[in-house]
Amino acid sequence: MEPLPADFFRIEDTFAPEDVLVQSTTRRFVREEFLPRVQECYEAGTFPLELVRRMGDLGLLGSQLEGYGCAGVSSTAYGLIMKELERGDSGLRSFASVQGALVMYPIHSFGSDAQKNAWLPRLASGHAVGCFGLTEPDFGSNPAGMKTFATRTAEGWVLNGSKTWITNAPIADVAVVWAKTDEGIRGFLVERGTPGFSTPEIKHKLSLRASLTGSLYFDNCLLPDANRLPGTSGLKNALMCLSQARYGIAWGALGAAEDCLDEALGYAKNRIMFDKPLAGFQLVQAKLAHMATQLALGHLCAARLAALKDAGTLHPAQISMAKQNNVKIALETARTARDILGANGISLEHRAMRHSCNLESVSTYEGTNDIHVLVVGQQLTGLAAFQ
Ligand code: TGC
Ligand code: FAD
């Protein structure tokens, strides 16, 4: 009998050939074009912007959307793209998540024809970069409390307030910004160069270092009404975007975990201690078996999520359960891999600690671990325990 692969339950056997092709193309891009750059980017705290157009050429940006130059791939292929990007680095997957799920999706779903035509082809091809501003300094888990306010005037809108911890902010050509108005929460497109709009970078991160993060400041920014996303009518529209991105993270985190298991397995087979390979010790095997088991269960969960998404019946609480648990699995796997690598594990020459540090952010953003536990709790009990 052949040895079992890392994909223990052979879930990949259930994927359509075109989805497998998307996966292998993405994996090759990450291996050949991103990985040679990642250590330098991580150390310097930069993102390899030169790869953005290449990602566009490969159809990796907004890949789940139809039209406007988007690839229109299946939910499985979209998930596999996220997984392969995050096998490289969570920062790379973050870039694609934000661009596709948090910027292109709302323009595609809630934008006017003019907004779609102006932005979607450029965002899909990587000729423009977007960011998504929901979180504020005093309103992270509870975005409903946001203070950013857009006041209607004869000319359009005047926007005041701030957003923080925004992925891609320092490099974004356009920001999808959620603000309160007298009519409720609405989405707006704020373009770089708008007077009163600034996007300073947040420095000194110890996590997601190969990703650019910043704040958004709005000081009496004048926006024409044409910059309001006309299909938005409340916080629900912002939460719908989060559902798209969280779906991608439920898949993506598995890529980081797989890379950690690969690294730990290879290391444990080759590292001799007490005259035999680490992999031959029962305690090490228990760790490896636990990692592989959790990873296999995470894959089953992601594959089922894709089927529900394609069927159009995916519920936000199902996404919450999958995002929370798959990220937890990935974080535990990365920490265990780091442990198996001993002192070498803390070096950037290896991958486990980079993934582990990244996954601390992934566990917090797009709804913290605890917020998703509470979403599932609310679904089970009918009682909201957020407040
Ligand atoms: P609540 O009353 O529960 O809901 C308001 C309306 O929205 C609906 N809804 C959703 N719809 C789609 N998807 C979801 N996930 C949804 N969650 C709720 C809900 O049915 C309701 O609809 P209706 O028709 O009844 O009006 O709203 P709430 O204010 O009580 O919020 C609940 C809570 C805490 C779950 C929500 O605020 C939340 O998810 N908080 C977490 C905030 C968060 O995740 N922020 C993420 C910011 S973006 C980011 O982190 C990007 S990281 C980027 C990267 O990858 O680099
Ligand atoms: P808080 O809400 O202050 O939570 C702190 C702690 O309290 C957490 O453990 C939380 O689980 C817990 N907690 C909060 N409320 C409850 C409760 N009701 N019951 C029990 N426990 C609770 N945001 C964007 O809008 N766009 C982006 O592009 C973006 N990118 C990000 C990139 C990075 C690298 C990071 C780290 C964050 C990013 N965020 C972004 C922000 C992210 O979404 C928020 O950090 C997240 O929603 C949590 O908010 P907070 O940091 O204010 O934590």
Side-chain angles (χ1 to χ4, degrees), residues 93-95 97-98 102 132 134-135 140-144 167 208 211 235-236 239-240 242-243 246 249 316 365-368 371-372 375 378 386:
R93 197 271 307 137
S94 270
F95 181 90
S97 282
V98 169
L102 298 182
F132 176 89
L134 180 64
T135 303
S141 295
N142 180 25
T167 300
L208 225 70
S211 166
L235 182 64
K236 181 175 184 159
L239 297 176
M240 287 168 69
L242 300 187
S243 281
R246 291 165 177 174
I249 293 173
Y365 69 34
E366 287 290 355
T368 66
I371 287 296
H372 290 298
V375 170
Q378 181 181 19
F386 301 104

Side-chain angles (χ1 to χ4, degrees), residues 215-281:
S215 299
L216 306 176
Y217 292 112
F218 315 104
D219 180 10
N220 284 317
C221 291
L222 296 178
L223 303 177
D225 192 46
N227 281 32
R228 180 177 53 89
L229 289 171
T232 57
S233 57
L235 182 64
K236 181 175 184 159
N237 301 112
L239 297 176
M240 287 168 69
C241 304
L242 300 187
S243 281
Q244 302 299 313
R246 291 165 177 174
Y247 170 84
I249 293 173
W251 278 88
L254 299 175
E258 252 179 38
D259 196 44
C260 290
L261 177 57
D262 281 354
E263 182 167 56
L265 205 46
Y267 190 88
K269 283 180 183 168
N270 288 310
R271 172 83 169 164
I272 307 296
M273 201 49 60
F274 295 99
D275 302 324
K276 68 175 187 181
L278 287 179
F281 293 102

Side-chain angles (χ1 to χ4, degrees), residues 54-320:
R54 179 81 180 116
M55 291 172 81
D57 289 344
L58 291 171
L60 304 180
L61 303 175
S63 59
Q64 77 283 19
L65 301 172
E66 299 279 351
Y68 303 95
C70 304
V73 300
S74 71
S75 297
T76 299
Y78 170 53
L80 289 169
I81 289 173
M82 295 299 132
K83 191 176 105 167
E84 294 306 327
L85 294 177
E86 196 148 0
R87 180 193 296 279
D89 192 89
S90 301
L92 183 64
R93 197 271 307 137
S94 270
F95 181 90
S97 282
V98 169
Q99 183 95 342
L102 298 182
V103 178
M104 294 172 69
Y105 168 83
I107 295 175
H108 196 277
S109 302
F110 315 127
S112 65
D113 285 344
Q115 291 166 343
K116 291 179 201 182
N117 288 322
W119 286 107
L120 291 177
R122 293 175 61 204
L123 291 161
S125 62
H127 284 78
V129 172
C131 69
F132 176 89
L134 180 64
T135 303
E136 298 189 359
D138 296 326
F139 299 94
S141 295
N142 180 25
M146 68 177 69
K147 288 274 198 302
T148 297
F149 202 91
T151 309
R152 205 188 256 283
T153 67
E155 292 79 36
W157 300 86
V158 180
L159 185 64
N160 278 294
S162 68
K163 302 284 175 181
T164 194
W165 289 109
I166 306 303
T167 300
N168 294 347
I171 50 167
D173 299 290
V174 63
V176 170
V177 175
W178 300 90
K180 278 192 174 149
T181 73
D182 284 335
E183 300 146 32
I185 291 173
R186 298 289 182 268
F188 294 87
L189 298 181
V190 183
E191 296 170 27
R192 182 166 297 283
T194 303
F197 177 42
S198 56
T199 63
E201 184 175 353
I202 296 174
K203 299 267 194 191
H204 312 301
K205 286 183 300 172
L206 295 174
S207 169
L208 225 70
R209 289 188 52 76
S211 166
L212 297 173
T213 316
S215 299
L216 306 176
Y217 292 112
F218 315 104
D219 180 10
N220 284 317
C221 291
L222 296 178
L223 303 177
D225 192 46
N227 281 32
R228 180 177 53 89
L229 289 171
T232 57
S233 57
L235 182 64
K236 181 175 184 159
N237 301 112
L239 297 176
M240 287 168 69
C241 304
L242 300 187
S243 281
Q244 302 299 313
R246 291 165 177 174
Y247 170 84
I249 293 173
W251 278 88
L254 299 175
E258 252 179 38
D259 196 44
C260 290
L261 177 57
D262 281 354
E263 182 167 56
L265 205 46
Y267 190 88
K269 283 180 183 168
N270 288 310
R271 172 83 169 164
I272 307 296
M273 201 49 60
F274 295 99
D275 302 324
K276 68 175 187 181
L278 287 179
F281 293 102
Q282 288 184 352
L283 281 176
V284 177
Q285 284 195 10
K287 289 174 190 171
L288 293 168
H290 183 71
M291 291 155 88
T293 305
Q294 294 304 310
L295 195 47
L297 296 176
H299 275 118
L300 287 172
C301 170
R304 178 66 188 145
L305 221 55
L308 292 169
K309 193 170 195 298
D310 277 338
T313 59
L314 188 55
H315 190 282
Q318 292 169 324
I319 302 178
S320 281

